[in-house]
Amino acid sequence: DADVTQTPRNRITKTGKRIMLECSQTKGHDRMYWYRQDPGLGLRLIYYSFDVKDINKGEISDGYSVSRQAQAKFSLSLESAIPNQTALYFCATSDLYSGNTGELFFGEGSRLTVL
Amino acid sequence: AQSVTQLDSQVPVFEEAPVELRCNYSSSVSVYLFWYVQYPNQGLQLLLKYLSGSTLVKGINGFEAEFNKSQTSFHLRKPSVHISDTAEYFCAVSEEDGGFKTIFGAGTRLFVKA
């Protein structure tokens, strides 16, 4: 089983719908992140959390919200999806040591299509 | 502010040929450097990393990279590629700014042809 699990792996939805992407990890890491991947743009940070009570915006947080339900769970919500949020979304984790160097451990991604 | 530039968006190469994927970064402080690989329909996995010490870093699958501080580069190399190396490769940088946020380049798609 994967150490960082994302659900759903694929989702097609319509404009205006609310969508939640979920991430759970068994690595015991404190830090969790949501990234978005678009062709030609690489990965961009949406939100990150260093522990359950700590939530921080990344460079492209507009239109997104997150919830850190437990150390092992970090969910990303799109309150009202729009077509330009069509992308591949990655959850990532790091621990105190790896987090202090920027090394990340990734899930397999959630492909979201907004029609 | 830090940034990462991957100089080639696509690199086609024949099997068993050498390859170099180029990465330049900008930062005013010390950095940590990474190369990640993304195989089709998979997440990213760490290929290699430079934290400190020797500037020549060896990673998995026969890849290596050299940190050049004066040229602010971290190019990835492999002396002989295989079909299975076809993937997208991301260069990434982090610097100490209170959070060690990691910044990614746009990616280089490596096509290995038979």
Side-chain angles (χ1 to χ4, degrees):
Chain A
D1 290 338
D3 293 327
V4 183
T5 302
Q6 293 183 230
T7 55
R9 293 290 314 280
N10 289 283
R11 182 72 182 269
I12 300 174
T13 191
K14 295 182 178 180
T15 298
K17 293 291 187 180
R18 183 178 187 274
I19 295 297
M20 179 180 286
L21 306 179
E22 299 185 336
C23 177
S24 63
Q25 52 114 346
T26 58
K27 298 187 74 66
H29 288 173
D30 291 324
R31 302 179 178 190
M32 299 186 74
Y33 310 76
W34 277 104
Y35 281 88
R36 168 178 171 159
Q37 183 184 9
D38 296 280
L41 296 179
L43 277 75
R44 293 178 292 167
L45 184 62
I46 306 172
Y47 271 95
Y48 62 102
S49 169
F50 282 359
D51 65 43
V52 175
K53 297 180 181 179
D54 176 78
I55 300 290
N56 304 281
K57 292 182 178 180
E59 61 180 307
I60 55 163
S61 60
D62 288 348
Y64 302 95
S65 62
V66 291
S67 174
R68 185 82 184 266
Q69 301 95 323
Q71 186 207 32
K73 296 183 183 295
F74 192 38
S75 60
L76 176 71
S77 294
L78 289 67
E79 295 302 325
S80 180
I82 56 177
N84 76 1
Q85 292 178 313
T86 293
L88 184 57
Y89 291 85
F90 284 104
C91 176
T93 72
S94 64
D95 62 15
L96 182 62
Y97 173 72
S98 63
N100 283 341
T101 65
E103 181 179 350
L104 299 168
F105 300 84
F106 286 88
E108 295 192 334
S110 295
R111 185 170 297 281
L112 176 65
T113 302
V114 183
L115 302 176
Chain B
Q2 63 193 91
S3 64
V4 181
T5 302
Q6 292 185 239
L7 297 161
D8 306 291
S9 60
Q10 297 186 58
V11 174
V13 63
F14 284 104
E15 192 174 21
E16 298 184 5
V19 70
E20 178 180 81
L21 306 184
R22 297 178 293 168
C23 174
N24 286 94
Y25 69 93
S26 65
S27 175
S28 58
V29 300
S30 296
V31 296
Y32 303 115
L33 298 156
F34 307 86
W35 277 99
Y36 289 86
V37 59
Q38 183 183 26
Y39 298 107
N41 299 314
Q42 294 186 26
L44 282 73
Q45 57 182 279
L46 184 70
L47 202 56
L48 49 78
K49 61 186 176 184
Y50 171 79
L51 303 181
S52 64
S54 173
T55 57
L56 182 63
V57 179
K58 294 187 183 297
I60 61 173
N61 301 337
F63 283 92
E64 63 181 32
E66 186 157 18
F67 170 50
N68 188 319
K69 188 174 182 179
S70 63
Q71 297 187 5
T72 60
S73 68
F74 190 55
H75 301 333
L76 180 69
R77 302 184 182 98
K78 186 170 183 178
S80 176
V81 294
H82 302 287
I83 296 289
S84 59
D85 292 322
T86 294
E88 188 151 23
Y89 293 79
F90 292 94
C91 182
V93 174
S94 69
E95 61 182 31
E96 183 178 0
D97 64 352
F100 290 99
K101 291 187 292 289
T102 306
I103 302 298
F104 288 82
T108 298
R109 191 167 295 277
L110 176 65
F111 293 103
V112 181
K113 300 176 288 186

